Amino acid sequence: MTVDPFRTASEALSESGGNLTELARPFVRFLPVTGASVSTFGSLLSAETISATDARAQRVDELQFDLGEGPCWDALATRAPVLEPDFATSASWPAFTPAIRQEDVAAIFAFPLMFGPLEIGAVDLYSSTPGTLTARQQKQALVLSAVVSRILLRHAISEATTPETTTFSRRLIHQATGMVLAQVGSTADDAYLLIQARAFADDRPMREVAEDIINRRIRFGDLSETDEVTP
Amino acid sequence: MIETTHTEQLFDAFATLADTLVVGYDVLDLLQSLVEYCHDLLDVDSAGILLMNETGDLEVVASTSEANTLVEIMQLDANAGPCLESFTTRTVVSVPDIDVDVDRWPDFSRTASAQGIHSVYAIPLRLRETTIGTLNLMRNERGELGRHDIRAAQALADVATIGILQERTIRDASTIRDQLQQALSSRIVIEQAKGVIAETHQLSMDAAFERIRGHARAQQMSLSVVARQLVAGELRL
């Protein structure tokens, strides 16, 4: 029986506990890449590299943040993977492309980190030799990215919020959780996280968001961030 | 419709409660039946049961209407109201007119009154030294609950309490605590299931609960099992 590197990586990720600095490592275990980085940015969280497997991976993030352009920005903006198989022949980013050519980076594959409608950040994978990822590898990277998104979101929420304790507001939140799971077709855990994240993003108590859901003022759409693969 | 006397209906209620107390019964289902009997047989407009949770606070576990307004009123009552007083003093607390002394429990009294509830009767669920919660009877009219209704309500509450505590002495002492706690935790998945049904069929929370309850009865399943299946997507109603 062969060992499935993707499964190994997924398991490593779910076992990472609260150690955010290890989030990038699982990606290099099963993909033909030299290094990986995980960063948060966008409308919800501050721009920050959370995890990088090496100094060059860190540099890939840093350049994109400094220049305000690059594959990770495009990946999050388009909510889809952005693949640059060879910078020698590319002119996609007027400032970033010449800058990254100085860095012994031949290819970059960026995957968006999102949860439902929320922007979390991106994963940047780089390779020192030209090449691309197969559709299957992209799909796997997206699945792993979805796990990373949840971990980062939970962490951000737990840092920022104090739990609400009244038994009545908990009841409303459970009812809202049921409505959201029916709306998006998710598990109860993900539905709860969506409500929690919405409250976090809007800077409102969860109880208020739950009441809006119950009174049908807020609806959630499909939670299908892992379904789309752009070849 | 066949006429049955009040007394006959009460006998039926006791018989059914006793049936519910067989081995392996679900505490939540028993308490739900209890509030429904109170509503059907007594001169009350709504009824609810609150159990003590792990942190020592009272929490609504069953009610005749699952409308959030009623549950909120009872939860306010549990924080400061006749229900809490009945629990802490282990005695019956009767409030024939909520509006007479609003300052005693301002949040509870104002909210209840605004929702048309004007008298309350709270009975401790108690057997000797042990109190596990309270039964709350609410009426839209002012005035004392009738003498017969009081006795019937106390008897129903006693049967349920004895049933629950009897189980405790049969098994080991920690079991009942777990069981009561489980009844309260079952509320989480029941609330979620209400949300699923409310969303799927565009119903109110109360109507959603009725549908879940109706299915559980028809299939002779416990409420929490039905709720779990709904939330897991294994059952559609």
Side-chain angles (χ1 to χ4, degrees):
Chain A
M1 202 177 124
T2 55
V3 177
D4 179 356
F6 172 65
R7 168 167 288 185
T8 313
S10 308
E11 284 167 4
L13 198 51
S14 41
E15 285 160 14
S16 69
N19 195 354
L20 299 186
T21 59
E22 290 299 308
L23 285 180
R25 193 164 308 280
F27 289 90
V28 302
R29 288 203 188 165
F30 72 101
L31 294 170
V33 296
T34 315
S37 64
V38 169
S39 54
T40 56
F41 61 96
S43 56
L44 191 62
L45 304 171
S46 59
E48 190 184 350
T49 298
I50 302 295
S51 169
T53 54
D54 58 66
R56 193 166 288 118
Q58 177 107 40
R59 180 70 182 143
V60 167
D61 266 7
E62 189 179 41
L63 272 174
Q64 295 185 80
F65 284 152
D66 288 353
L67 299 171
E69 64 168 28
C72 78
W73 291 103
D74 291 1
L76 191 57
T78 60
R79 306 177 64 82
V82 171
L83 308 181
E84 180 44 74
D86 190 359
F87 278 102
T89 59
S90 135
S92 298
W93 299 279
F96 178 72
T97 303
I100 200 69
R101 281 182 186 147
Q102 314 293 315
E103 298 287 339
D104 189 26
V105 169
I108 290 182
F109 317 115
F111 293 85
L113 294 175
M114 1 178 238
F115 187 73
L118 301 172
E119 300 181 340
I120 313 289
V123 176
D124 274 318
L125 309 173
Y126 85 89
S127 173
S128 45
T129 55
T132 192
L133 298 179
T134 65
R136 181 179 153 81
Q137 286 166 338
Q138 292 177 48
K139 176 90 183 169
Q140 293 178 330
L142 278 170
V143 169
L144 224 52
S145 300
V147 178
V148 169
S149 299
R150 284 172 177 76
I151 292 174
L152 289 175
L153 187 57
R154 285 210 170 90
H155 179 77
I157 291 167
S158 69
E159 293 282 286
T161 50
T162 49
E164 291 166 74
T165 51
T166 80
T167 51
F168 183 65
S169 63
R170 280 205 301 274
R171 226 178 217 256
L172 297 182
I173 291 164
H174 298 318
Q175 291 168 9
T177 301
M179 291 181 71
V180 171
L181 82 85
Q183 287 167 8
V184 306
S186 70
T187 61
D189 278 354
D190 267 0
Y192 184 88
L193 184 59
L194 268 176
I195 300 170
Q196 209 178 19
R198 175 68 179 251
F200 173 71
D202 294 353
D203 194 20
R204 300 168 69 202
M206 255 183 111
R207 175 191 166 136
E208 275 182 31
V209 175
E211 278 174 338
D212 278 357
I213 293 165
I214 291 165
N215 296 319
R216 300 183 163 91
R217 289 190 291 264
I218 293 180
R219 266 193 75 82
F220 287 86
D222 274 355
L223 186 66
S224 55
E225 78 266 64
T226 60
D227 291 349
E228 295 158 286
V229 178
T230 316
Chain B
M1 197 182 136
I2 300 164
E3 280 269 325
T4 47
T5 67
H6 192 246
T7 317
E8 282 168 350
Q9 288 177 327
L10 259 178
F11 280 138
D12 287 345
F14 281 118
T16 312
L17 274 183
D19 278 351
T20 320
L21 294 173
V22 293
V23 178
Y25 76 95
D26 187 306
V27 172
L28 188 69
D29 290 321
L30 168 73
L31 298 176
Q32 185 64 40
S33 300
L34 180 61
V35 293
E36 287 171 12
Y37 286 134
C38 289
H39 179 260
D40 296 345
L41 301 177
L42 311 178
D43 178 27
V44 299
D45 296 291
S46 43
I49 286 177
L50 297 94
L51 290 183
M52 190 178 75
N53 66 19
E54 275 171 331
T55 55
D57 297 322
L58 287 172
E59 206 172 306
V60 179
V61 71
S63 52
T64 48
S65 161
E66 295 275 318
N68 283 328
T69 44
L70 176 67
V71 175
E72 187 173 21
I73 289 168
M74 286 194 288
Q75 207 60 61
L76 287 170
D77 191 350
N79 297 338
C83 171
L84 178 66
E85 187 162 310
S86 161
F87 181 72
T88 49
T89 62
R90 305 155 145 237
T91 55
V92 169
V93 174
S94 173
V95 184
D97 188 346
I98 281 180
D99 304 300
V100 163
D101 190 6
V102 172
D103 290 340
R104 193 169 171 199
W105 304 299
D107 284 347
F108 162 72
S109 304
R110 289 201 187 96
T111 314
S113 190
Q115 292 296 327
I117 293 169
H118 296 295
S119 57
V120 180
Y121 200 81
I123 301 169
L125 298 179
R126 180 171 89 99
L127 181 67
R128 290 187 287 275
E129 298 308 305
T130 314
T131 310
I132 56 172
T134 66
L135 168 64
N136 241 21
L137 306 175
M138 301 188 167
R139 303 168 71 217
N140 297 345
E141 279 178 36
R142 287 170 231 276
E144 295 282 354
L145 195 60
R147 194 167 49 89
H148 289 296
D149 278 1
I150 289 174
R151 290 184 58 184
Q154 274 176 333
L156 285 167
D158 286 347
V159 168
T161 311
I162 291 166
I164 292 169
L165 293 175
Q166 178 69 14
E167 267 264 317
R168 183 200 308 217
T169 54
I170 291 168
R171 307 197 204 163
D172 64 297
S174 62
T175 313
I176 195 70
R177 199 181 189 83
D178 294 348
Q179 216 178 1
L180 294 180
Q181 196 49 50
Q182 207 186 331
L184 289 170
S185 336
S186 302
R187 279 310 322 185
I188 294 174
V189 73
I190 288 170
E191 297 306 321
Q192 289 173 346
K194 279 159 65 179
V196 170
I197 296 294
E199 173 63 25
T200 313
H201 301 287
Q202 298 296 305
L203 295 172
S204 70
M205 288 301 158
D206 194 25
F209 181 78
E210 288 307 316
R211 190 173 283 217
I212 297 167
R213 173 80 171 139
H215 181 80
R217 275 196 167 158
Q219 302 297 317
Q220 300 200 314
M221 291 164 75
S222 77
L223 271 171
S224 49
V225 168
V226 172
R228 241 181 287 281
Q229 291 180 350
L230 283 168
V231 169
E234 293 159 6
L235 172 70
R236 285 177 203 285
L237 290 184

